[in-house]
Amino acid sequence: MATLRSYPTGKDSDVFGRRKKNDSAKDGGAAEQVVDGVAADEQDGGEEQDSAPRRVNLPPAPRPDGPWDVSEVPGAPEDGRVDLGGILVPGVEGMELRVEVAGDAIVAATVVLGDSAVQLQAFAAPKKEGIWGEVREEIATGITQQGGIIDEVEGPLGWELRAQVPVPMPDGQTGAQLVRFVGVDGPRWFLRGVISGQGAVRPESAGVLEQIFRETVIVRGDGPMAPRDPIVLKLPNDAQMVPDGVQTEDQEGSRFSGGMGQLEQGPTITEVR
């Protein structure tokens, strides 16, 4: 039986906001190519742009190692995975699973394993265009504007951001939390992961979390969705709620049992497997 817990969390800055429609190629574009001074859809007689390089829309890259669309998984995709509706999360021995609520909708899941965690969030995307490159640019801009430090590297999951995010300390000073932002474009969806804890401090120790990200299955559905809309999740059928503030034995040893600080939004619910 799964144990679920609700946690209040602080409000963090929106580093994945939706672009305005008049923001040239930035509305749902992809991101592994740039052109000097002109966005791709403005090269033929479009509005004159500044001299800064801009990202150009590209199709999603191949995903030979996942994450997977539900149509790509043979057999029963939910076997060995926790069914959250919009995503199916692989089950790992000793892991703790939390879901994040925005208003009345569940929009993200966080897997905690020892002293590391990965937050998973799926979004709708254009049919023939990836958005991860552009999202990286937005996240990097948002964090640097807060005084953080960003390093864009090619890691085990492809291009990622390794960030030092400013966070308030109990003594009133400002510290830094190390996190990794990873992402993969799929068919009409985008999966973002935020790795924290030792998996961010020592990326070489994050192999299991990276495999969880790869083995996640996205169930977008066939209905129309605007690009960047979160794919809504649901609670597992066997979830059991417990009052806020009550600690389970499995959670007592986890450094993440109180939430992931600034990186979370709204109340969260915890499932202990």
Side-chain angles (χ1 to χ4, degrees), residues 200-262:
V201 176
R202 298 174 56 247
E204 67 275 10
S205 70
V208 177
L209 292 181
E210 292 167 358
Q211 191 61 30
I212 288 173
F213 184 85
R214 289 190 186 98
E215 291 298 325
T216 295
V217 174
I218 291 79
V219 187
R220 182 201 178 281
D222 298 326
M225 294 181 67
R228 297 171 175 255
D229 276 358
I231 296 174
V232 177
L233 310 181
K234 68 176 182 65
L235 293 177
N237 293 330
D238 60 349
Q240 178 183 353
M241 295 296 297
V242 297
D244 188 20
V246 177
Q247 194 83 309
T248 64
E249 292 182 2
D250 290 338
Q251 290 175 310
E252 289 176 353
S254 172
R255 297 182 185 179
F256 292 91
S257 60
M260 293 173 61
Q262 279 193 326

Side-chain angles (χ1 to χ4, degrees), residues 94-266:
M95 85 178 196
E96 181 181 318
L97 179 64
R98 303 172 183 164
V99 293
E100 181 180 323
V101 179
D104 295 329
I106 300 172
V107 296
T110 297
V111 175
V112 180
L113 192 61
D115 291 334
S116 299
V118 59
Q119 182 192 65
L120 304 170
Q121 190 168 16
F123 301 88
K127 185 175 183 179
K128 297 182 179 179
E129 299 172 357
I131 62 175
W132 174 220
E134 183 179 330
V135 169
R136 288 202 309 276
E137 187 176 42
E138 295 172 14
I139 293 172
T141 298
I143 291 175
T144 54
Q145 287 177 348
Q146 298 175 44
I149 300 173
I150 287 288
D151 188 18
E152 186 174 33
V153 302
E154 191 167 9
L157 299 170
W159 285 103
E160 65 178 74
L161 295 177
R162 297 185 181 179
Q164 297 180 37
V165 181
V167 293
M169 304 297 289
D171 60 2
Q173 301 295 315
T174 299
Q177 182 179 9
L178 300 180
V179 294
R180 295 167 55 195
F181 293 89
V182 298
V184 169
D185 291 303
R188 303 176 68 210
W189 52 257
F190 162 66
L191 181 67
R192 185 189 69 178
V194 184
I195 299 174
S196 60
Q198 285 300 305
V201 176
R202 298 174 56 247
E204 67 275 10
S205 70
V208 177
L209 292 181
E210 292 167 358
Q211 191 61 30
I212 288 173
F213 184 85
R214 289 190 186 98
E215 291 298 325
T216 295
V217 174
I218 291 79
V219 187
R220 182 201 178 281
D222 298 326
M225 294 181 67
R228 297 171 175 255
D229 276 358
I231 296 174
V232 177
L233 310 181
K234 68 176 182 65
L235 293 177
N237 293 330
D238 60 349
Q240 178 183 353
M241 295 296 297
V242 297
D244 188 20
V246 177
Q247 194 83 309
T248 64
E249 292 182 2
D250 290 338
Q251 290 175 310
E252 289 176 353
S254 172
R255 297 182 185 179
F256 292 91
S257 60
M260 293 173 61
Q262 279 193 326
L263 295 179
E264 293 191 3
Q265 298 178 355

